[in-house]
């Protein structure tokens, strides 16, 4: 896999956001509406490109998951970029549907890869536990839980999960893919609006990981399980029947972090290597 654009091409970074409600996730699928499909079609159309483009994204979100701070890159012919760079964002604003927006378009620094150069991704999951339900204006972005949750208990449970672990118990397994991740932040806060909001930040996430972690935390928050339960599930490395993968609409990709420009290429190479835990072969 090439770490940079081919000769005669320029790598372009896109910063974007979308409401995931009407998308079948990020990844392009035949006969289904996806974020990648909409963006690639719009880019090829506004630039009048003879060949399709292919986007690489920092985090492949599932169906129904939203994003505020998603990052992608696309390699464009240098002559097209030189001619159109100053107009591309405005043209995309006119071409794209209203539930996906491109906020930034810029030539990427050398070594940049939207996926492999990232050092962390930060998600938020929003829960409303008011007995009357969720504000109708927020219902597409907030999960309603019909019992009150204790954020202090959930924070106690979350503290036991931090660090590098095999998160197989919280991931949908994929052939040949590691489930070892470094969980950098998992914390809960009760906002002024009454919502319980989880901040989840890791170097990377495996499939369903955030939503399964939230599902385990809710069991602690509403009193169904003790504080140590999520960590016990983690240590078991197998899915637990009590842990539900919560619905996608409460989840938003908020931000992607990258190292300094001079470290981008090294980070990209490091991230492509299969990870193992110390002592594991």
């Amino acid at each position: 896999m090439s770490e940079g654009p081919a000769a005669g091409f320029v790598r372009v970074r896109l910063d974007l956001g979308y409401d995931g409600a009407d998308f079948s996730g990020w990844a392009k699928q035949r006969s289904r509406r996806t974020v990648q499909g909409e963006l690639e079609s719009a880019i090829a159309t506004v630039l009048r490109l003879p060949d399709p483009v292919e986007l690489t994204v920092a985090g492949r979100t599932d169906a129904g998951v939203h994003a505020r701070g998603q990052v992608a890159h696309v390699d464009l012919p240098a002559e097209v970029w030189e001619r159109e760079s100053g107009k591309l964002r405005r043209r995309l604003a006119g071409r794209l549907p209203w539930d996906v927006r491109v906020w930034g378009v810029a030539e990427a620094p050398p070594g940049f890869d939207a996926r492999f150069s990232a050092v962390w991704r930060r998600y938020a999951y929003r829960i409303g536990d008011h007995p009357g339900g969720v504000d109708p204006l927020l219902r597409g972005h907030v999960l309603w839980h019909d019992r009150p949750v204790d954020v202090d208990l959930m924070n106690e449970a979350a503290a036991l999960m931090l660090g590098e672990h095999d998160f197989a118990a919280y991931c949908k397994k994929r052939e040949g893919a590691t489930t070892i991740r470094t969980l950098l932040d998992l914390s809960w806060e009760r906002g002024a609006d009454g919502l319980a909001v989880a901040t989840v930040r890791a170097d990377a996430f495996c499939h369903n990981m955030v939503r399964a972690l939230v599902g385990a935390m809710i069991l602690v928050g509403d009193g169904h399980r003790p504080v140590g339960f999520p960590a016990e599930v983690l240590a078991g490395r197998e899915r637990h029947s009590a842990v539900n993968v919560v619905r996608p609409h409460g989840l938003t990709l908020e931000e992607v972090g990258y190292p300094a420009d001079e470290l981008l290429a090294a980070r990209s190479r490091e991230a492509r290597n299969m990870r193992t835990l110390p002592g594991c072969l």
Side-chain angles (χ1 to χ4, degrees):
M1 185 183 295
S2 174
E3 293 186 9
F9 283 74
V10 172
R11 178 153 296 177
V12 177
R13 170 174 169 162
L14 305 175
D15 291 84
L16 58 135
Y18 45 87
D19 184 317
D22 293 330
F23 289 108
S24 295
W26 164 269
K28 188 166 48 180
Q29 301 177 51
R30 185 176 298 174
S31 76
R32 289 183 177 269
R33 184 172 186 258
T34 68
V35 183
Q36 182 181 13
E38 291 281 7
L39 277 165
E40 289 181 354
S41 174
I43 291 168
T45 298
V46 300
L47 295 180
R48 301 180 180 87
L49 297 174
D51 299 310
V53 298
E54 184 172 356
L55 288 163
T56 296
V57 73
R60 287 163 55 116
T61 51
D62 290 335
V65 175
H66 315 294
R68 255 199 201 99
Q70 181 69 279
V71 180
H73 79 246
V74 62
D75 294 342
L76 298 175
E79 68 275 10
V80 173
W81 174 247
E82 182 177 359
R83 183 178 70 242
E84 304 288 350
S85 59
K87 299 172 281 189
L88 181 54
R89 183 175 62 174
R90 178 176 55 81
R91 289 184 173 175
L92 287 174
R95 179 71 184 184
L96 285 166
W98 292 111
D99 51 0
V100 55
R101 296 286 94 186
V102 173
W103 305 118
V105 178
E107 183 172 346
F112 178 81
D113 184 290
R115 176 186 177 191
F116 289 111
S117 295
V119 290
W120 50 259
R121 288 91 170 155
R122 177 172 62 86
Y123 284 85
Y125 198 95
R126 295 173 172 85
I127 297 173
D129 57 357
H130 189 285
V134 170
D135 179 345
L137 299 182
L138 302 176
R139 70 189 185 280
H141 301 265
V142 178
L143 176 75
W144 182 53
H145 192 63
D146 60 1
R147 297 183 59 170
V149 294
D150 185 325
V151 296
D152 292 330
L153 288 177
M154 292 194 291
N155 277 325
E156 287 185 45
L160 303 174
M161 309 282 282
L162 298 177
E164 185 180 55
H165 305 283
D166 186 341
F167 282 90
Y170 290 99
C171 296
K172 184 176 180 181
K173 292 184 179 180
R174 288 177 168 168
E175 189 68 30
T178 181
T179 49
I180 297 169
R181 299 290 187 268
T182 301
L183 188 58
L184 301 167
D185 186 15
L186 176 56
S187 59
W188 291 85
E189 185 175 3
R190 180 76 69 173
D193 55 6
L195 299 180
V197 181
T199 295
V200 192
R201 187 169 63 95
D203 59 343
F205 292 94
C206 43
H207 194 210
N208 286 348
M209 179 174 161
V210 179
R211 291 160 57 198
L213 286 170
V214 170
M217 298 286 118
I218 290 175
L219 291 172
V220 173
D222 69 9
H224 276 105
R225 296 283 177 162
V227 163
F229 172 72
E232 291 172 6
V233 172
L234 175 68
R237 298 191 185 183
E238 290 186 0
R239 299 297 287 266
H240 194 290
S241 60
V243 176
N244 292 320
V245 175
V246 292
R247 294 178 63 186
H249 70 278
L251 184 61
T252 302
L253 174 59
E254 299 283 352
E255 187 181 9
V256 181
Y258 292 94
D261 288 357
E262 63 270 17
L263 301 176
L264 288 167
R267 169 58 186 170
S268 179
R269 290 191 294 271
E270 176 190 5
R272 294 169 195 266
N273 295 327
M274 180 72 77
R275 298 171 65 179
T276 59
L277 289 172
C280 295
L281 296 178

